[in-house]
Structures are given as C-alpha cells and as structure tokens.
Amino acid sequence: MSTAPSDLVIVGAGIVGLAHAFEALANGLSVTVVERDRQPVGASVRNFGHCCIGAQQGELLDIAELSRGGWLRAAAAAGFWAREAGALVVARSEAESAVLEELHAARGSDVVRLRSAAQTAEALGRDSVGGVTGGAFLPADLRVNPREAAPALAAWLASQPGARVLWGTAVTGVEPGTVHTTRGPVHGSQILVCVGHDLDYLFPEVAEAHEIQRCRLNMARVKAPAAFRADSAVLTATSMLRYDAFTAQPSAARLREEVLGHSPELLEIGANVMFTRLPDGTVLVGDSHHYDATTPPFLDERVSQLLLDAIADVLGVPHLEVLERWQGVYANSRRGPLLVRDLAPGVRAISVTSGVGMTLSFGLAARTFAGTLSATAAD
Ligand SMILES: Cc1cc2nc3c(=O)[nH]c(=O)nc-3n(C[C@H](O)[C@H](O)[C@H](O)COP(=O)(O)OP(=O)(O)OC[C@H]3O[C@@H](n4cnc5c(N)ncnc54)[C@H](O)[C@@H]3O)c2cc1C
C-alpha cells in the first residue's frame, strides 16, 4: 500500500478515533484513520447512544459539556441522527428521590429539573404511579443511534478532502512517524492510538501499567411497550449508584444500602438498569458489568433475564419482547476513567477506561487540538 503522509494518523475507527479525525479536519489537518475491521463494530456501536452529561461530575463533566457541541456539529455535518432529548432519572423510593433532590439543590433547575411521581410515571407509559416516587430530568443529555453515528461519521470523513479511512487494515506496530499495518506502512507527523480496550494487543506494558481490563455488558433491543413514549434516556436507582453526580450526594450511601437490601442480585451483576429508544421506536436495554483480562464469549441468560425483569418492572409491563441480544465490551481501569499516554515523540494513546466514551469523545478531541488534554499518570 502506498499512501501520502498525513498530518495525523489515527489508529481505530471507534468514536474516540473518529471524533479526533473530525476535530483534526476542523483544525485544518490532513488525517488518515486506520481500522482493522470493514466497519465500526466495537464499543461505539454496541452501546446506548447516550451522551450522559448531567450525571458526570468534576473534570468529566467539563469534558462532557465540551463534547456536546462536538456531537451536534458532527451530526449536522455528517447527517446522522442526534436528539437533544435529555435523560429522565426515575425515583422509586424516598432515598432515590432524596438523591435527586440533593443533586437539584447542588446544580440548580437549569441542569436538574425535578419531576413529580405522576409526570415520571406518565413519561414511562405506566398505567399507574405504582411505586414511582418522583424523578429528575437532565436536559443537557443527548441521544444518538449508536449503530448509525460512527459509521456515518466515518463515511462522511472519507468523503472529505484531506481525510481518508483505511478499512480492513490492522495496525501491527507504531513508531514515531510510521504506523505499520497488514497492508504496509502509513506515515504521519503525529499518531494517535485510539483502540479502546485492545490497547493491550499493541502496547501490553502500557495497558498493564494502567490496569486496563475488559468490561463486558449484556445488552438487548426490545419492542417498545405500546404506552412507552419517553424520548429521553431513562436511568434508574442502579444508575444512581454508578455515576459520580449521584454518588457524590449525601443520600447515596443510604440508597446503596437500600438497593443491597431489596435487589442484591442487581448489585452482584453490576447492573445499571437503563434504556434508550432508537429512531425506529425499539428500545436498547441493559446493562450488566463483569470484568476480565480477556472476554469470555458466552452470554449468561440469568443476567439478561434479571435486567429484562428489572426494566419491565420500571415500565410497569409484565414482560418485554426481545428482538436482539449482544455483548458489549469496553476498557475499564480502577486507576481512573482516562488513559492518555505519550508513548514516543509524536505518538499518543487515548483510551476511555470507563463506560462513558460516547459522552466524552468529542470533548477529548476538542482538548487534544486545544493542547489542553494532559497525559494521565503513568503509575
Ligand atoms: C454495552 C455498552 C454500553 C455503553 N453505554 C454507553 C453510554 O450510554 N454512554 C457512553 O458515553 N458510553 C457508553 N459506553 C462506552 C462507550 O461505548 C465506549 O467508551 C466508547 O465507545 C469507546 O470508544 P473507542 O473508540 O475507544 O472504542 P471502540 O468503539 O471499541 O473502537 C476501537 C476501534 O479500534 C479498532 N482497533 C483495535 N485495534 C486495532 C488495530 N491493531 N488496528 C486497527 N484498528 C484497531 C477496533 O476495531 C475498533 O473499531 C458503553 C459501552 C458498551 C460496551
């Protein structure tokens, strides 16, 4: 393969690599994206498509807010679906309502809008309030169709002067100025390695030093119950136990004890009971969290059933009709949510090492080209 050098070569056509390619072009750089598969099939197409902004805290909130504008610009340029639909957090106990009220008090009504039990139940399409005690609407959150966004962005990039995407081209090694691939060398002044959890295949010591693990998640797409109308992403109590904006609230510890008391099996599978609607009306539901160095391929049906039952319960329906099931995998590290590592002059690795890569992708890219994305600690 003979290709002219680019200003920037990006390894990986997931959302992190593609967001960087999008921002590189916007900054007047030429860019080549090198992807081993024939289309994006990694974490970026297997997720909820939820840009989960309002539930972030601290630096991740800053990056997520920056990301929002990038998502909207990319959607407008590449013509993919992006909805400013927010997120609805459902409360079904006094402790859950207390966490939402505390977040509202901390952030204000522009960022967190409290919902009554009746409003929340209506958005879910429940025929009665049942056990719903309230809710909160997080207006900043976005939704995209994860099956469409990365492929559409890659196709748009490939059509732009100054950009190209090399599909079916696996990277076997990286050195300053050159990316070695199964189709020959690709040259660039700067190189970004955006391969998510597969960083260990290319740079095992770097991945090990950051203690990167593979987090695997059971997911499904279901038929929407007839009455379910909510356009926003829907989060529940177990989501409040995962995202920092909620866990930072005084009542979060009480909420954890409460969930441990009534649903220990959900904590055992690391559940984040949540769902989002696709443009065709079907609903993405999930998810569980299990951590390994290498991902076993088998989907435990008990885990899937626990999640489906929990979501049917939130929606107030007896069961959900499953259309598809799959396993998602993303990079995780107990050392922190980001790996940004300078590997050699002009060679940097960027992996999101927590489950918020969709949310952060364009914010990370904006920081990269503003020169404000700092390398994370090496040990
Ligand atoms: C089930 C699930 C639900 C999630 N929900 C959300 C959510 O709601 N909101 C959110 O913000 N985040 C969510 N996430 C996390 C998010 O999807 C990831 O953090 C994000 O997609 C990571 O993007 P990426 O580009 O780093 O990785 P990927 O999308 O995995 O892309 C990496 C790419 O690199 C390529 N690659 C790897 N090695 C090589 C090589 N040697 N040569 C060439 N190419 C290579 C791969 O083929 C792949 O295409 C979820 C993840 C999962 C799995």
Side-chain angles (χ1 to χ4, degrees), residues 10-12 34-36 169-174 179-182 195 202:
I10 295 174
V11 186
V34 187
E35 167 59 48
R36 67 182 173 196
T169 306
V171 170
T172 54
V174 179
V179 169
H180 297 283
T181 83
T182 44
V195 295
L202 279 174

Side-chain angles (χ1 to χ4, degrees), residues 11-18 34-37 39-52 169-172 194-198 201-202 215 217-219 243 274 287 326-331 350-352 354-360:
V11 186
I15 200 61
V16 174
L18 295 171
V34 187
E35 167 59 48
R36 67 182 173 196
D37 263 303
Q39 62 186 63
V41 288
S44 303
V45 299
R46 301 182 192 201
N47 59 49
F48 290 101
H50 176 209
C51 302
C52 175
T169 306
V171 170
T172 54
C194 303
V195 295
H197 52 273
D198 286 342
Y201 295 158
L202 279 174
C215 176
L217 307 87
N218 287 32
M219 292 286 287
Y243 295 114
M274 63 168 286
D287 58 15
W326 65 97
Q327 175 170 257
V329 182
Y330 68 68
I350 303 178
S351 284
V352 177
S354 66
V356 288
M358 292 289 274
T359 304
L360 303 182

Side-chain angles (χ1 to χ4, degrees), residues 272-290:
N272 175 4
V273 176
M274 63 168 286
F275 42 102
T276 57
R277 200 186 256 285
L278 286 178
D280 69 2
T282 61
V283 183
L284 300 174
V285 303
D287 58 15
S288 51
H289 297 78
H290 292 93

